């Protein structure tokens, strides 16, 4: 200390700032470490069944530490598809859980957000282009025989999900405009088909996301995670029906993907609650929970629901780490 006091004034000031700055830096690092430990679990969360008529298990793990599977789709032959929101890679998974990356997808797709499989086996994919939430635009691809082709690429702000109806018409939700687009089977005549209905409460902002085709009623299911409503709209047009309205109740579900089974049962992904729920008589019944980002759900005959673990928080919050490995889970429904 005496040597420090004998230094010239300018050297003492530098020494003071170095010491004081070092203490502040150490306190900041300790604080960040404590926050990181609080945000990150020491053990990996595993999904569980919440209803007596279902079982839940891990179906397949994905090879990348930045897989971030945001969507899932099951083909008529039982093949499951998922893809990375971070890298654009698309994986094909056999019914037994064997994972294979589809060549070329990582190079052409920027941020995969939506998937569906048409009746003829064609895979439709939505690319948001960039994980930056400030970016806008998107492309819809088709994948046939492992060949990517552009299906539609104009007019989108933030495309999110995709569905195909019984006539082969293709629907794309755009959460940036709160609209649903419809295209002919070949990608032509794209136009806005549905607009989110106005809300009585002007403070509520809609942001439609999930889409699913209901073959039993020839209608489209549309979900909204901001209003927390689920709509059903006839493909032929007509009045929009509200199937579920959460209102100002606690535990908002934060709806995302949806699927309607061949018997007409509707299941939705409640991303806000990390669960999958059955929708019946305007009631929400959770059948499975504790997913690590349940952003989508799809059905494969005879009794399987596939759910991705998106783990999306670690994309936007630097201190949060994903719970590796990324995986797709399967819910098996009891025989009716």
């Amino acid at each position: 200390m005496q040597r420090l006091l004998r230094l010239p004034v300018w050297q003492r000031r530098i020494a003071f700032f170095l010491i004081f700055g070092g203490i502040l830096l150490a306190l900041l690092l300790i604080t960040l470490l404590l926050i990181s430990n609080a945000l990150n679990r020491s053990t990996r969360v595993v999904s569980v069944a919440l209803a007596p008529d279902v079982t839940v298990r891990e179906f397949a793990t994905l090879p990348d530490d930045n897989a971030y599977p945001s969507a899932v789709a099951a083909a008529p032959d039982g093949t499951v598809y998922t893809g990375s929101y971070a890298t654009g890679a698309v994986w094909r998974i056999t019914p037994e859980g064997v994972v294979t990356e589809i060549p070329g997808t990582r190079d052409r797709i920027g941020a995969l957000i939506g998937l569906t499989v048409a009746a003829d086996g064609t895979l439709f994919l939505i690319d948001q282009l960039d994980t930056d939430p400030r970016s806008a635009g998107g492309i819809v691809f088709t994948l046939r025989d492992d060949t990517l082709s552009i299906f539609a690429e104009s007019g989108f702000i933030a495309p999110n999900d995709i569905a195909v109806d019984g006539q082969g018409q293709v629907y794309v939700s755009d959460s940036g405009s709160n609209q649903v687009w419809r295209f002919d089977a070949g990608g032509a005549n794209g136009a806005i088909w549905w607009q989110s209905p106005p809300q009585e409460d002007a403070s509520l902002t809609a942001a439609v996301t999930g889409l699913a085709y209901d073959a039993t009623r020839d209608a489209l299911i549309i979900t909204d995670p901001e209003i927390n409503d689920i709509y059903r709209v006839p493909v032929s047009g007509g009045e929009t029906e509200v199937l579920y309205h959460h209102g100002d109740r606690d535990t908002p579900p934060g709806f995302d993907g949806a699927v309607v089974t061949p018997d007409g049962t509707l299941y939705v992904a409640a991303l806000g609650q990390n669960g999958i729920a059955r929708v019946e008589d305007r009631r929400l019944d959770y059948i499975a929970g504790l997913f690590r980002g349940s952003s989508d759900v799809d059905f494969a005959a005879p009794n399987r629901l596939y759910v991705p673990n998106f783990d999306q928080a670690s994309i936007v919050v630097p201190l949060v780490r994903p719970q590796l490995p990324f995986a797709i889970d399967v819910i098996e429904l009891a025989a009716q």
Side-chain angles (χ1 to χ4, degrees), residues 40-331:
N40 294 286
R41 295 175 176 269
S42 58
T43 58
R44 185 168 176 259
V45 175
V46 178
S47 55
V48 297
L50 300 176
D53 58 343
V54 305
T55 59
V56 184
R57 62 180 173 85
E58 189 170 270
F59 169 65
T61 59
L62 303 177
D64 293 357
D65 287 353
N66 57 352
Y68 294 102
S70 59
V72 67
D77 65 358
T79 301
V80 176
Y81 295 91
T82 190
S84 172
Y85 184 70
T87 69
V90 179
W91 292 282
R92 178 187 290 112
I93 310 174
T94 68
E96 295 74 36
V98 179
V99 180
T100 305
E101 182 172 331
I102 298 176
T105 54
R106 188 186 297 263
D107 299 327
R108 292 193 62 187
I109 299 173
L112 190 141
I113 189 68
L115 288 171
T116 196
V117 182
D120 65 356
T122 299
L123 180 66
F124 287 84
L125 313 92
I126 295 181
D127 180 9
Q128 276 193 353
L129 306 179
D130 197 312
T131 59
D132 188 336
R134 296 168 297 180
S135 63
I139 298 175
V140 179
F141 288 100
T142 58
L143 183 74
R144 299 183 182 92
D145 300 323
D146 287 359
T147 300
L148 278 173
S149 302
I150 293 177
F151 179 82
E153 58 178 332
S154 62
F156 302 125
I157 298 175
N160 189 280
D161 203 1
I162 189 163
V164 181
D165 71 16
Q167 292 75 47
Q169 299 176 111
V170 178
Y171 302 80
V172 178
S173 65
D174 192 329
S175 57
S177 62
N178 303 315
Q179 297 169 332
V180 176
W181 287 71
R182 181 163 71 180
F183 299 86
D184 291 347
N189 299 318
I192 295 169
W193 174 75
W194 182 86
Q195 173 75 51
S196 180
Q199 301 296 319
E200 293 182 2
D201 186 346
S203 66
L204 298 176
T205 303
V208 296
T209 53
L211 295 179
Y213 175 60
D214 181 354
T216 65
R217 298 173 179 85
D218 195 28
L220 205 68
I221 301 297
I222 305 170
T223 70
D224 187 320
E226 299 297 328
I227 307 299
N228 280 301
D229 280 358
I230 303 173
Y231 307 103
R232 182 165 60 207
V233 186
V235 165
S236 59
E239 186 175 349
T240 296
E241 179 184 1
V242 179
L243 294 181
Y244 178 83
H245 175 67
H246 195 76
D248 58 1
R249 286 174 285 176
D250 293 336
T251 61
F255 294 125
D256 206 341
V259 68
V260 181
T261 60
D263 66 359
T265 304
L266 170 61
Y267 295 92
V268 292
L271 181 58
Q273 298 300 321
N274 277 323
I276 300 297
R278 183 188 294 118
V279 182
E280 290 181 317
D281 300 323
R282 290 177 168 76
R283 188 181 70 250
L284 206 62
D285 295 323
Y286 284 90
I287 64 168
L290 292 184
F291 295 95
R292 301 178 302 280
S294 52
S295 55
D296 200 8
V297 60
D298 204 11
F299 175 79
N303 67 334
R304 287 184 170 186
L305 295 173
Y306 291 102
V307 184
N309 288 278
F310 190 10
D311 214 345
Q312 71 284 354
S314 54
I315 294 179
V316 295
V317 183
L319 292 178
V320 176
R321 298 185 297 271
Q323 298 181 49
L324 302 175
F326 285 100
I328 304 297
D329 290 350
V330 62
I331 302 171

